[in-house]
Amino acid sequence: MNTADLGLPVTVPSTALFTDHYELTMLQAALSGGTADRRSVFEVFTRRLPDGRRYGVVAGTGRVLDAVENFRFDGPLLDFLREKNVVDGPTLDWLADYRFTGDIWGYPEGEVYFPGSPIMRVEGSFAECVLLETVVLSILNHDSAIAAAASRMSSAAGDRPLIEMGARRTHELAAVAASRAAYVGGFTSTSDLAAGFRYNIPTVGTSAHAFTLVHDSERDAFRAQVDSLGAGTTLLVDTYDVTEAVRTAVEIAGPSLGSVRIDSGDLLLVAHRVRQQLDELGATGTKITVTSDLDEYAIASLAAAPVDAYGVGTQLVTGSGHPTASMVYKLVARAESADAGAPLVPVAKRSTGGKTSIGGRKWAARRLDERGVAEAEVIGTGQVPEELADRQLLVELVKGGEVTATAREPLDRLRERHAAARAGLPLSATQLSRGEPVIPTEYLHLGSGS
Amino acid sequence: MNTADLGLPVTVPSTALFTDHYELTMLQAALSGGTADRRSVFEVFTRRLPDGRRYGVVAGTGRVLDAVENFRFDGPLLDFLREKNVVDGPTLDWLADYRFTGDIWGYPEGEVYFPGSPIMRVEGSFAECVLLETVVLSILNHDSAIAAAASRMSSAAGDRPLIEMGARRTHELAAVAASRAAYVGGFTSTSDLAAGFRYNIPTVGTSAHAFTLVHDSERDAFRAQVDSLGAGTTLLVDTYDVTEAVRTAVEIAGPSLGSVRIDSGDLLLVAHRVRQQLDELGATGTKITVTSDLDEYAIASLAAAPVDAYGVGTQLVTGSGHPTASMVYKLVARAESADAGAPLVPVAKRSTGGKTSIGGRKWAARRLDERGVAEAEVIGTGQVPEELADRQLLVELVKGGEVTATAREPLDRLRERHAAARAGLPLSATQLSRGEPVIPTEYLHLGSGS
């Protein structure tokens, strides 16, 4: 491969290498052993939510669709696999023709989920489905972890805008996905230009301490910034003395100064003082943006403070203590034989060491109480009860290998879906204290079908 | 940009979009205000180690060099910045010609670090240096966090091999960088084919529970795997009953069975039982690989168990509780004016809210005691004391915009460097219990120069 042909990771034409070695060795053994063509159903779910969390947020589905579409083994990949003896010749030949031809259903992106929720269901031959495990989990585990943290932060922030500023705290490409997931979870904008470029998320930013320090004085720095970016800019006021800086800022930009940013100190206290000072200086419309290792708790603690916007970095991109969503991708049913039309049988790991799963192809529905509030995540196999038929959660994403017409959605729709799904949960969903999943998971008809 | 031209993220020809919006607005204001050309020194350091950790591990330096070399603003990026009004026309023109022409020094990759260690120093004009902040921090913060976790795990594992298996638990491209960092920190191999492809890290893997479950019986599955992959393969023995599975495994593969993998249950107990059973069956050479949410503590707890290899996923790629290294990129000195040869003056944020830093261009050296064991990280400005001259830590990585001849190193050398650096620390460095940095940071000559 000519590396000069490789570009900005705006899209990735082949995602097939984002695959664990064992997916390919299993493929080889299944091809030679005759089970490769058995129709199989894999499901993505999580056995539990992160400790203390009340709901999960599905994110990354759109990226999974891209990954599946681009999952091809081209020349250089095949050369690599051959050279390293990862798999044998017949397997390489099979990979060269690989193209996912099965079906994928899943919770729509932005939806909430609970322990056991069949977040995604991948169905096709064993061979074609098993290969997708790693990349599907990478995307969903990362993006859902970030979206869950974002959702808690956005509910704590209420109507105040949230700026995603975490690019410097995580892998440079994880950061782009994190911006996307944060937007789904309720963030308003990002500092990350790559996220603006790739996903059209609004980008914002003004200046850092270095900008003030490179000038002979704070006054010179503020003047240069206002001259160049206009009075509507955000001036960073905590490089030296905050009170002095606010005075200088309004003196230079005038009372129409857009915003000041506070990045250190007791934000609650400082925000109150700065608000009072701004008001006294006539800058009553000047907003206050706070940043400084914020998480959902810090955001909530500032609810009564005169803060107009929050910038969140580290805690967002690291999932606020839970950087991965612990989703797994498990075979839950497979055909009795490789014959077309062979009946599916449910399968599940049964050892005594924990980590068991429930066999059978599942549906899921969210049951509401008489006020229309969610009261249970109902998961079952076999027939869906009539009263839950219109509350089903899984939607068709890929049919016969093709992404369905409705599967690709604009980010704003995902964001709205998440807000609506969260609003449909019991009120205690958004309390930040540690607790149990806000609705229970109920299983129906287990073992009655597949 | 034609997205069809974009390829596997093996290398990224432009890393310039991995940049926060404010780097560009600062650039614009500095260009119009006349400070853009002031010679500036930025340093990367961390104010503290993650809570309880005793040393940090520098990783990602090689990736930073790639990022700096490829940091260019080409047509589509400039179009994006213009369309979104991120910066003005003169700034876009300046960006179109951007190429880093300055110098970079840093701790060599694999080296250990402590609070305050000047892990990387970037020197050039304010404009050219400020732009690199985000991408430099993204890479170093992520990769160093993973390497630190890997180092603790590898010290706990002793001579036993460690397999990195975390791709499914983190962003698909973060996973590739994580494999690389894990290797630097002492891991032996990875499950991630992309990491094998990109960095030539050995890849390994055999089978998952799905492979057993797609067969009519465990016996069929083992037979298919052994037939295809040979008796040297690793059979997963905990899908149903472990004892039964081990018996079947040896029956099918014979006593030369390569390895069995246990992925659930009380690993200590199960490993002892399986070892005894294997020995009784004559499979005395068959190895035992354990996987199942391992971290450094679980690895250490298995030190006396008959375990031959560990597979580590989630805890490795999430930094074992500390997914980011909290490094910052701070202006520490800049020229009095934009004139060539203008003297540098140290600068630092001075507000009372914490987050202060120490001004001046720094050197660093590790002082040894009479037995040759590290006893202090000495950091200073100005002249290096003679007795520390040959213990200096910073090496030249980029000179006049060009990566130096010695800066690019094979991964194995980084891995050896890390092992040697860790071995040079006091013995308590590798105790897993929470503690303080294993050697103190001492500051010399502060304020005496820049």
Side-chain angles (χ1 to χ4, degrees), chain A residues 201-322:
Chain A
I201 299 169
T203 64
V204 296
T206 49
S207 76
H209 296 111
F211 182 78
T212 298
L213 293 170
V214 79
H215 288 81
D216 294 336
S217 69
E218 192 171 57
R219 177 174 296 271
D220 284 0
F222 287 180
R223 192 175 302 280
Q225 187 176 328
V226 170
D227 283 352
S228 180
L229 302 172
T233 193
T234 298
L235 293 172
L236 178 61
V237 294
D238 70 339
T239 304
Y240 304 111
D241 177 78
V242 174
T243 304
E244 180 64 30
V246 170
R247 189 182 309 125
T248 306
V250 178
E251 202 180 307
I252 288 170
S256 62
L257 172 63
S259 178
V260 295
R261 177 161 80 97
I262 308 164
D263 184 48
S264 55
D266 179 336
L267 297 176
L268 182 66
L269 189 72
V270 178
H272 275 290
R273 284 193 186 163
V274 167
R275 181 73 269 158
Q276 187 181 344
Q277 187 187 3
L278 286 169
D279 290 346
E280 287 169 1
L281 293 168
T284 53
T286 300
K287 295 187 186 312
I288 297 176
T289 299
V290 295
T291 56
S292 183
D293 276 335
L294 297 178
D295 61 12
E296 60 269 44
Y297 304 100
I299 291 167
S301 77
L302 291 165
V307 166
D308 300 284
Y310 304 94
V312 185
T314 307
Q315 292 302 317
L316 184 274
V317 298
T318 58
S320 199
H322 300 291

